[in-house]
Amino acid sequence: MKRFSLAAGAVAAFGGALFVASAAAQTAPPTRGPAADGSPAWFLQGSYPDPGGRTSVDANGVVTIVPRPEGAPAPFAAGARPTQGCSHTTVCQNRNGPKRGDMQRVQWEQKLGYRFSYPIQLPPGIGGVPAVALDSKNNLWVYQRRPAGNPQLMRYSPAGQLTLSVGDDVIGHADKAHGMAIDAEDNIWVLDTANGTAKKVSPEGKLLQTIGTPGHPGDWDEARGQRLLWEPVMIAFGPKGDTYIAQGHGNESPNVVDSDDPTNNIGAARILHLDRAGNYIGQWFGHNVGEGKFVNAHALGIDPKTGDVWIGDREDYRIVIYNSAGQFLRTIQTRNLVCAIQFDRAGNPWMASGQDGQFLKLDRNGNVVGAVGNGMGIGKGQFIEASYWVFDKQNNLWAGDTSVGRVTRMERK
């Protein structure tokens, strides 16, 4: 893939690398490119400040940023690096590099013909929506990062009416609500990255099972009977009902590899594989860059045609593919952040491009063949972070936004 330098002072995310131009740069890089080899044309577009979920959304989907209360502690700014407690991750190694908010982002022209609407009205209050899912009855389940005491898991009817709220008294409060998926029996699985759990909830909103120990992230060691999760971010199900859990969001945060806790001292991104009954099959680790390795397991999708496991190594801008037995197959380099992976009703792979704000249809070599989304922002069809989403039976897309409290429906015209 070609490398480009940028005009003085500019930063871009492109092809898995960050590029910072010097003032002495002689030639400005291209800021757009034509359609070629089945891919649409592309162009660069700037970033947008991340509100971190402090938004209110009206019935038309119009977003208003809610000011942070005076004196309230501010979270890390978008793209900020931790300043202490970090030792072995790629982020530690690039702590002084450019921040995400300074980037120019690769956008792809939209030729697929989708329109955007906001048919779901969430309860009042702040909180982004990291994940949505659809059950067999076309109910939309929404997982929202709401303050403690407010239900974070909600069910909406096909008509868009709120029909069930599952409160903290049932499933506990997720300190960092993240991925969600629905199994073949219509059970809803929700992940709490901070507390290290994956929870199984019945269609009626009853807690059925918890994988991991709440508040105790750590290493899964089957030989010792130690069944802990380390920063779980997404869950997916294979053709035979087996379960895969992607772990490793912490490669963007202080790593725990030096922990004094003997149950929590590996700190490597990984995929955990369980059978339909929850019995251990295996796991494989990332550790670092290189063939068959990954430093961040943020996206997870199971190929319905082959059963292969597609892993989104987000910060390295690539997809790493294993077979169901955990054998490495190949790596696909991308030009966008790989935040989520889904396969549509025809079995075609798609990826959500995170803070690049689009959903990208791919061919099986990872080439972009179509795009949906207007880039990073809070306007119509925009996303601060386009992440976990789902296809309905008509192949329309339904998506939340990790940093904005709204649900977007993308309908084919």
Side-chain angles (χ1 to χ4, degrees), residues 3-7 10 19-22 25-30:
R3 300 298 195 223
F4 298 96
S5 61
L6 294 179
F19 302 95
V20 184
S22 70
Q26 298 296 314
T27 305

Side-chain angles (χ1 to χ4, degrees), residues 344-361:
D344 64 22
R345 295 286 173 168
N348 301 305
W350 290 61
M351 62 171 269
S353 67
Q355 292 181 327
D356 299 343
Q358 291 189 309
F359 297 88
L360 307 178
K361 185 177 182 179

Side-chain angles (χ1 to χ4, degrees), residues 215-268:
H216 188 177
D219 310 315
W220 189 292
D221 188 335
E222 186 69 15
R224 297 169 57 186
Q226 178 180 300
R227 298 175 176 178
L228 301 175
L229 299 180
W230 183 72
E231 302 243 355
V233 293
M234 191 51 182
I235 188 168
F237 305 100
K240 297 179 181 180
D242 45 346
T243 301
Y244 297 87
I245 301 177
Q247 304 167 74
H249 201 290
N251 279 332
E252 300 172 59
S253 308
N255 201 315
V256 294
V257 72
D258 295 324
S259 170
D260 293 331
D261 181 354
T263 69
N264 187 19
N265 56 23
I266 295 177

Side-chain angles (χ1 to χ4, degrees), residues 310-347:
W310 289 46
I311 304 159
D313 189 356
R314 186 174 77 173
E315 302 306 310
D316 271 5
Y317 287 66
R318 61 182 181 167
I319 297 169
V320 183
I321 303 175
Y322 285 72
N323 66 17
S324 59
Q327 297 172 319
F328 168 71
L329 299 178
R330 60 194 174 106
T331 295
I332 297 172
Q333 196 70 46
T334 69
R335 294 181 175 181
N336 299 86
L337 287 165
V338 190
C339 273
I341 294 172
Q342 281 276 12
F343 290 82
D344 64 22
R345 295 286 173 168

